Amino acid sequence: MSKKNPLDTNQIVTLLHLALIERVSNVPQLLQQVLEEELWQERIISETGEIVRFEYFVDFIQTPPPAGLGTDFDTLWRLSDHDPLLLDLLDRAVQREPGAPEKNPRIDNYQKNVDDIHSYEQPERPSGTSKQAGLRQLRRKNPELHAKVLAGELTVNAAMVQAGLRTKQVTVFVDPHRAATKLKKTFKQEDFIELVALLMSALPEQKEMVAEKFQQVLDEEQLNNIKKFLASL
């Protein structure tokens, strides 16, 4: 719990709630203070003198004011998207700590399913290619790259690729010539040749047409390399 005066804590949380309503620019700064100092855990509501306590950050997020923020994880995540440090603080806050109670209705509602692509309705168990999933994996498996992400030296995706936790992806145009140019720049020569051979082998019923096209665009050495690869399949 924060060492701040509970009444001071309530003022900061109230400011965060108002900033969320008005969508002002200081939301990330206030949210970071609330997370770093754990101001969400306990405070005194100045209007009533009531002491409010939260064991789980997701409860604090969803509970209506004045006790909670009356918002959702999706909103907080989107407003923090530009700041890896703040995203990491958010993820740490919603992640259940080892040894925590197994049952909490609010958290269990978040954990019904884990999809291939991350859902903001399940902040404790991100998956797929989300930033939250990447930050959590890096924090656990590669602290050095995780620190570089928080310092702004790497993006989450670049760090995941560098750590061997995610395969590098490229986007290509739905146009043969432009796609080929992009892939040729991306792949090493031997990998590009393998890709071409695999595409060729995937069309056995059009092998004569494919072979004719290959002879039009490839030189003899490239054709021989493809033949060798196909023979090894």
Side-chain angles (χ1 to χ4, degrees):
M1 178 182 169
S2 168
K3 295 181 180 180
K4 277 184 172 290
N5 183 303
L7 290 175
D8 293 338
T9 297
N10 185 66
Q11 291 173 351
I12 295 170
V13 173
T14 300
L15 285 173
L16 174 57
H17 169 64
L18 293 174
L20 285 167
I21 292 176
E22 298 172 4
R23 291 290 192 268
V24 296
S25 59
N26 64 336
V27 168
Q29 292 91 333
L30 289 168
L31 179 58
Q32 182 168 336
Q33 183 176 0
V34 168
L35 289 167
E36 287 182 336
E37 301 179 20
E38 298 183 330
L39 305 184
W40 58 271
Q41 291 186 345
E42 179 178 326
R43 71 186 200 283
I44 298 174
I45 306 299
S46 57
E47 294 82 359
T48 64
E50 177 190 2
I51 299 176
V52 293
R53 297 184 178 91
F54 292 100
E55 184 176 0
Y56 297 100
F57 184 64
V58 289
D59 290 341
F60 169 71
I61 294 173
Q62 292 182 320
T63 300
L69 290 179
T71 185
D72 53 61
F73 184 80
D74 183 8
T75 298
L76 297 183
W77 190 263
R78 284 187 288 103
L79 292 172
S80 308
D81 190 60
H82 67 289
D83 188 338
L85 177 58
L86 185 50
L87 293 179
D88 193 65
L89 286 170
L90 267 174
D91 182 60
R92 287 175 184 269
V94 297
Q95 187 173 13
R96 190 187 311 200
E97 293 297 327
E102 288 297 321
K103 293 294 180 181
N104 179 299
R106 291 184 184 275
I107 289 183
D108 289 341
N109 285 338
Y110 280 121
Q111 297 179 330
K112 290 180 180 177
N113 297 294
V114 178
D115 301 323
D116 289 337
I117 299 301
H118 171 68
S119 167
Y120 286 115
E121 295 179 357
Q122 307 161 46
E124 294 81 19
R125 295 180 64 184
S127 61
T129 59
S130 73
K131 284 186 179 180
Q132 189 181 1
L135 282 168
R136 188 170 297 181
Q137 287 189 65
L138 289 167
R139 187 167 65 237
R140 185 173 67 252
K141 298 179 180 180
N142 199 313
E144 183 177 346
L145 289 176
H146 178 259
K148 289 186 177 182
V149 171
L150 299 190
E153 298 175 17
L154 288 173
T155 65
V156 173
N157 185 64
M160 288 286 285
V161 171
Q162 192 170 324
L165 299 172
R166 183 178 294 171
T167 302
K168 184 178 180 180
Q169 299 180 5
V170 295
T171 302
V172 297
F173 292 98
V174 186
D175 174 272
H177 294 283
R178 299 179 75 176
T181 300
K182 177 73 172 182
L183 293 173
K184 189 174 181 181
K185 291 179 179 179
T186 303
F187 282 91
K188 296 179 181 178
Q189 182 176 354
E190 57 270 26
D191 292 332
F192 183 69
I193 291 174
E194 180 177 350
L195 170 64
V196 173
L198 286 169
L199 291 172
M200 179 179 175
S201 65
L203 298 168
E205 65 278 6
Q206 285 91 27
K207 62 181 181 180
E208 292 184 2
M209 182 185 300
V210 172
E212 181 180 348
K213 285 288 185 181
F214 272 36
Q215 290 175 354
Q216 293 175 4
V217 298
L218 300 179
D219 59 33
E220 185 175 352
E221 182 181 356
Q222 290 171 321
L223 286 171
N224 287 335
N225 286 334
I226 290 174
K227 289 178 182 178
K228 289 179 183 177
F229 174 74
L230 290 174
S232 69
L233 295 177

